[in-house]
Amino acid sequence: MESKKYKFWFITGTQLLYGTKVIEEVDRNSRKIVCSLNDVPELQGIVLYKGSVVDPQSIRTLINAANSDPECAGVITWMHTFSPSKMWISGLLTLQKPYLHLDTQFYRDIPWDSIDMDYMNLHQSAHGDREHGYIGTRMRIARKVIAGHWQDPNVLQKIGRWMRSAIGAFESRRLKICRFGDNMRSVAVTEGDKVDAEIKFGWSVDGYGIGDLLHYLEAVTDSEISEQMNRYYKRYEMCTDNIDAVRYQAKVQVAINSFLDERGYTAFTDTFEDLHGLQQLPGLAVQDLCAAGYGFGAEGDWKTAAMCRIMKLMSQGLTGGTSFMEDYSYHFDPKNLGILCAHMLEVDPSLASGKPRIEVHPLGIGGREDPARLCFESKNGLAILVSLIDLGNRFRMVINDIEACEPFEKMPKLPTARIMWKPFPNIQTSAEAWILTGGAHHTVLSYDLDAEIMQDFCKIMGIECVHISNDTTIPQLEKELMWNEVCWKFLT
């Protein structure tokens, strides 16, 4: 995964009423703001100033051009002066890009001693942005509103966070997911409507038999295996004498990598119930591919694989870590409550607190040779867990704020990646809320993103979002779920 720069179009609203000199000043001020935004390293996108719009035709033309530009990840609007919002209707009716309404002003302070009508006519964002806000509300347009001076660090941080949400939507609409085998038999939550997912998110979800992968496996050369082994030695600590098992994982990784890249897939799944022709369940191979930026979901969980990839792209430039995850065991000690997350093999090493260890141990499922895998303990820090579920008539994203930490005690007989976490508001309320919302046992854990970024992503994609936070209570959540049920029946 290479860090990319995404393009965001900046459009300033004004009108011809004030004359050409005012519009020229509007352009100069807008260009200065855009240049300043592009100097902020935290912004993952390049902001392009697309001019001042003065009438319905110029607005419609510009928005249609943004829709057609495959590199445009979002549109930012600002009303420098007063831009009558009826002019925006035809353009906003066609808008297909994520939309940020920036309510700012060129000068931070009012010049008390010199302010006159000319100044007030030019710098009237409190006037113009409220008019613009009305038409967005009147048209029921999903949008992000950020208010404050454009040089305020808090405002810049909010813009950057919204850009990450928009990048997630941008990448979602061109995501391809490869499924090696089907979903784990009889499991409900990993199922879902793939057609609806392509309509709603843009995902192409394709299935292949393990036999399709075996052709690539047979073509892997010893030199390719040795090159991959060298990368393992550089990145990880080799803690096994069973080098043959590790070399097999390297072989599997080269094969999967070639298969995915040749077809343009950036997320994938497998299942231990479909391993025909494989000597081991892919473990280390999957973990190292995830470290490179691929999304993954175990047991055929393509929704989690997709969100894993999207959230990795949303967190580009950050170093906390984002990974496929699975809930396992509660620790109900009243003095130190927590939940153990792990997976038998496939947790991303970006979550590790130290250098991960390559180990080989027996695996009680799958009926294959002992697989090599990475073992490590998690970092300490605030994070989120995200689960995307299919409710039949809609998709719902469930988000839980958590505090991740290293395991409370040593676990010498558990040879996996080990992550403990303490959910907000507490383990009892969190677990009850998660179950009531239908959250899955598979999730994506991220130290880099937070609930607001994911909520903005849901708003852009037009899906339901439920946030379990420090303020959550079960009675209030049950009301929210009841209201949502009624609301989404109407919307769908």
Side-chain angles (χ1 to χ4, degrees):
M1 183 173 65
E2 297 179 359
S3 181
K4 301 176 181 178
K5 286 292 183 179
Y6 301 82
K7 295 179 180 178
F8 291 86
W9 287 26
F10 191 100
I11 303 172
T12 304
T14 185
Q15 59 176 314
L16 295 171
L17 175 66
Y18 306 111
T20 57
K21 289 186 177 180
V22 167
I23 295 175
E24 290 172 0
E25 183 68 17
V26 167
D27 276 331
R28 284 193 293 271
N29 292 346
S30 298
R31 291 182 189 280
K32 290 178 182 178
I33 291 177
V34 168
C35 286
S36 178
L37 291 177
N38 284 324
D39 287 337
V40 179
E42 291 78 16
L43 302 190
Q44 279 296 113
I46 297 173
V47 184
L48 302 177
Y49 179 54
K50 290 295 181 176
S52 302
V53 290
V54 297
D55 54 36
Q57 182 178 355
S58 62
I59 295 169
R60 185 171 58 251
T61 299
L62 206 51
I63 289 180
N64 285 336
N67 290 337
S68 301
D69 185 348
E71 296 183 339
C72 176
V75 170
I76 303 171
T77 62
W78 169 47
M79 305 304 109
H80 189 308
T81 63
F82 187 78
S83 181
S85 64
K86 286 174 66 176
M87 298 194 312
W88 287 82
I89 292 175
S90 61
L92 291 177
L93 280 172
T94 66
L95 180 62
Q96 299 170 2
K97 300 288 184 174
Y99 173 27
L100 168 62
H101 177 186
L102 180 60
D103 176 24
T104 190
Q105 191 166 276
F106 184 69
Y107 293 115
R108 191 192 68 177
D109 302 330
I110 293 174
W112 306 107
D113 295 335
S114 60
I115 186 171
D116 56 17
M117 287 305 299
D118 289 337
Y119 179 96
M120 198 162 68
N121 283 334
L122 177 61
H123 302 287
Q124 53 172 307
S125 297
H127 185 190
D129 278 317
R130 279 163 168 74
E131 169 74 0
H132 190 62
Y134 165 75
I135 202 63
T137 299
R138 176 67 175 80
M139 296 175 68
R140 276 69 170 178
I141 296 175
R143 65 205 191 276
K144 179 73 172 181
V145 179
I146 298 176
H149 192 255
W150 52 277
Q151 292 176 314
D152 184 339
N154 184 51
V155 170
L156 295 172
Q157 183 185 61
K158 288 182 176 180
I159 294 173
R161 290 154 60 82
W162 172 80
M163 282 183 172
R164 294 187 182 278
S165 305
I167 288 167
F170 179 87
E171 292 290 355
S172 175
R173 294 187 175 113
R174 59 185 189 179
L175 179 65
K176 294 180 64 179
I177 307 156
C178 171
R179 300 166 61 239
F180 293 116
D182 204 346
N183 297 73
M184 182 179 174
R185 288 184 283 276
S186 299
V187 176
V189 76
T190 57
E191 293 284 359
D193 189 330
K194 303 178 189 69
V195 174
D196 200 31
E198 187 155 1
I199 294 170
K200 180 61 68 176
F201 299 107
W203 302 345
S204 175
V205 187
D206 303 323
Y208 294 88
I210 291 296
D212 295 309
L213 179 61
L214 292 180
H215 294 302
Y216 286 77
L217 195 66
E218 293 167 357
V220 176
T221 65
D222 286 340
S223 62
E224 289 176 314
I225 295 173
S226 296
E227 288 177 11
Q228 184 59 49
M229 287 293 293
N230 289 335
R231 288 190 281 270
Y232 289 161
Y233 279 111
K234 290 178 181 178
R235 297 171 184 170
Y236 313 119
E237 183 180 354
M238 189 67 69
C239 295
T240 180
D241 295 328
N242 191 348
I243 301 302
D244 287 342
V246 181
R247 286 184 64 85
Y248 185 77
Q249 290 288 328
K251 183 178 181 179
V252 171
Q253 179 170 348
V254 172
I256 294 175
N257 204 125
S258 298
F259 187 100
L260 299 179
D261 286 358
E262 186 175 300
R263 292 164 173 78
Y265 294 107
T266 52
F268 69 103
T269 71
D270 63 18
T271 172
F272 63 86
E273 289 184 327
D274 191 354
L275 297 174
H276 305 293
L278 294 180
Q279 297 175 24
Q280 300 176 23
L281 175 62
L284 171 60
V286 170
Q287 291 175 291
D288 199 54
L289 284 168
C290 289
Y294 288 92
F296 176 77
E299 292 98 48
D301 190 350
W302 51 271
K303 298 189 297 299
T304 300
M307 287 311 307
C308 184
R309 169 64 178 175
I310 290 167
M311 291 172 66
K312 283 176 176 290
L313 289 165
M314 291 168 70
S315 61
Q316 287 181 78
L318 305 176
T319 58
T322 297
S323 174
F324 162 78
M325 187 52 61
E326 180 168 280
D327 300 343
Y328 262 101
S329 299
Y330 295 116
H331 187 63
F332 279 139
D333 179 358
K335 298 179 181 179
N336 199 18
L337 295 162
I339 300 176
L340 173 64
C341 282
H343 203 262
M344 51 193 179
L345 295 177
E346 302 104 341
V347 177
D348 190 323
S350 67
L351 305 187
S353 59
K355 193 170 185 178
R357 307 174 300 277
I358 297 178
E359 300 180 12
V360 178
H361 298 277
L363 189 66
I365 58 175
R368 291 295 186 270
E369 296 176 359
D370 300 344
R373 82 288 302 269
L374 293 174
C375 299
F376 55 85
E377 288 71 39
S378 59
K379 303 173 185 176
N380 297 323
L382 297 177
I384 57 171
L385 287 177
V386 171
S387 172
L388 183 69
I389 61 171
D390 186 345
L391 291 177
N393 67 330
R394 66 189 187 277
F395 289 96
R396 169 186 288 167
M397 181 175 288
V398 185
I399 308 165
N400 198 166
D401 297 333
I402 66 170
E403 181 180 1
C405 56
E406 293 184 2
F408 304 150
E409 301 286 346
K410 299 293 184 182
M411 292 179 281
K413 295 183 179 180
L414 184 65
T416 66
R418 300 178 284 268
I419 291 89
M420 293 294 298
W421 52 274
K422 299 181 179 183
F424 293 106
N426 54 66
I427 193 169
Q428 292 91 349
T429 301
S430 166
E432 292 170 9
W434 192 268
I435 289 170
L436 286 169
T437 59
H441 57 286
H442 287 169
T443 60
V444 181
L445 184 151
S446 179
Y447 289 88
D448 294 319
L449 306 177
D450 61 21
E452 183 182 6
I453 294 174
M454 299 313 302
Q455 287 168 327
D456 285 339
F457 171 82
C458 292
K459 185 186 299 182
I460 294 169
M461 304 309 297
I463 66 169
E464 181 188 3
C465 183
V466 178
H467 179 206
I468 303 170
S469 71
N470 209 35
D471 298 324
T472 296
T473 65
I474 296 303
Q476 189 61 35
L477 176 71
E478 290 179 323
K479 290 180 182 178
E480 179 183 348
L481 296 177
M482 179 180 65
W483 298 332
N484 287 2
E485 196 66 38
V486 175
C487 171
W488 284 93
K489 282 183 179 179
F490 172 77
L491 291 174
T492 56

